[in-house]
Amino acid sequence: TAETIGWARIAGQTATGYAASVIGCDAEAGIERELPPSETPDGRPGVSLLFFGFSRDALQKAVVNRVAQCVLTCATTACFNGLAGDPGKTIRVGGTLRYFGDGRQISKLLDGKRYWRMPTMDGEFLCEDVFGTVKGVGGGNFLILGETQAQTLAAAEAAVTAIRQLPGVILPFPGGIVRSGSKVGSKYKGLKASTNDAYCPTLRGAVASALPEGVNAVYELVFDGLDLATVERATWEGMLAATRCPGVKQITAGNYGGKPR
C-alpha cells in the first residue's frame, strides 16, 4: 500500500520487474489487481502482487530481495501478506528485513499477526513478519496464430485484457505477451531453452514448421494462477477473447516435453 495509488503502482511494477520466467529469473511475478482502501489493512490504496517459484526457499529469497530493494525504498509504502496459506509453510519477509532498522526497529503483535516498523527518512516502513504460500499452477499457455503481426498482436492484447479481469492470476511477461516463444533444449550446450522454430514464420521451409498456410505471426500468452481452476478459467476467457478478433487463424498450445492429458 502507499499514500496514493500512483506510488503503490510504482512499488508493484518495480518489485515485479525482471520476473518473466523462472528459467532465467528468480521468480515469475506480476500485479494481480489494484486494491481500493476498503480492501487493504491500513486503509490506503494498494496493489496485490503474486510471486511464483520452483521452491519455497527460492521464493523467500526472491520476495525478500524484491521487497527490500523495490518496496522498502519506495516513498510512503507498507507491505502486508495477502495470502492465507498453511501456517507451517510461510516465508519470513518483515522478520528478515527488520535488521535495516539498525536496532531501532519495533515489533508489534496485533490480532495474532506480527508487524515490523523500521524508521525511514519519510517516517517508517511497516512490513508484516511472515507471508503465506500455497502450491500454485505455473505456466498455463496458449499460442495465437494470425494472418498479420498487427492482427495477431491485437488478438493477444484482447486476450490479456480478458485474463486480467480474473482474480488470482498473473501474466508475467511484458504486457502479458510473449513474442519469443521457446522450446526445450538447444543445439548449444548449457542452454535450457531456445527459439520455438516450428512457430517462427521466417523459418518456414527451413524447419519442420507447424504453421498453417496464411499464418505470418504468432504470439504466446503465459499465465500463472493460484489453482488449476483459475488457470483453466484464464485459458478459456483468453482464447474466447482472441477468437473474436479478425485475422486469427488458429489457437494451439505448447507442451514442452510433458505428457498430453
Side-chain angles (χ1 to χ4, degrees):
T1 65
E3 282 299 304
T4 67
I5 188 59
W7 279 110
R9 286 190 196 117
I10 289 171
Q13 290 166 351
T14 308
T16 57
Y18 187 49
S21 171
V22 288
I23 293 175
C25 307
D26 62 353
E28 293 184 12
I31 295 177
E32 179 214 10
R33 63 191 180 100
E34 294 187 356
L35 302 173
S38 60
E39 292 186 36
T40 65
D42 60 0
R44 303 190 304 167
V47 293
S48 170
L49 312 180
L50 289 177
F51 293 85
F52 291 77
F54 280 132
S55 70
R56 192 169 291 104
D57 288 343
L59 194 62
Q60 169 153 339
K61 183 177 180 181
V63 172
V64 167
N65 285 343
R66 289 167 179 270
V67 172
Q69 297 300 317
C70 307
V71 184
L72 167 61
T73 60
C74 185
T76 78
T77 60
C79 194
F80 304 95
N81 171 46
L83 191 59
D86 186 331
K89 297 180 180 179
T90 58
I91 58 176
R92 177 153 271 111
V93 180
T96 302
L97 298 180
R98 71 183 191 271
Y99 298 108
F100 181 76
D102 199 27
R104 304 290 183 177
Q105 64 270 21
I106 299 173
S107 171
K108 293 290 184 181
L109 191 65
L110 299 172
D111 296 327
K113 296 180 180 179
R114 186 170 298 280
Y115 301 85
W116 288 95
R117 299 167 58 187
M118 290 153 266
T120 61
M121 294 192 299
D122 71 345
E124 66 178 20
F125 175 63
L126 178 65
C127 187
E128 199 161 337
D129 185 32
V130 296
F131 284 38
T133 70
V134 296
K135 187 174 182 180
V137 176
N141 77 88
F142 60 84
L143 304 173
I144 303 172
L145 286 60
E147 293 181 17
T148 68
Q149 184 189 76
Q151 289 176 320
T152 313
L153 182 57
E157 290 172 335
V160 167
T161 298
I163 293 173
R164 282 183 171 160
Q165 306 307 307
L166 304 175
V169 64
I170 60 167
L171 299 105
F173 280 84
I177 299 169
V178 188
R179 69 176 312 200
S180 57
S182 60
K183 64 179 184 296
V184 176
S186 168
K187 64 180 288 185
Y188 298 105
K189 185 178 180 180
L191 193 61
K192 295 180 180 179
S194 58
T195 188
N196 197 350
D197 45 25
Y199 289 93
C200 292
T202 58
L203 296 180
R204 195 195 313 259
V207 300
S209 179
L211 298 179
E213 190 67 30
V215 169
N216 297 292
V218 179
Y219 285 109
E220 180 180 11
L221 267 69
V222 173
F223 35 94
D224 302 328
L226 291 177
D227 51 43
L228 181 58
T230 298
V231 172
E232 289 176 339
R233 177 74 185 278
T235 304
W236 171 255
E237 295 294 342
M239 291 194 301
L240 192 63
T243 55
R244 290 172 175 157
C245 298
V248 174
K249 304 285 286 186
Q250 182 177 321
I251 291 182
T252 185
N255 192 40
Y256 308 109
K259 294 180 180 179
R261 294 184 62 186

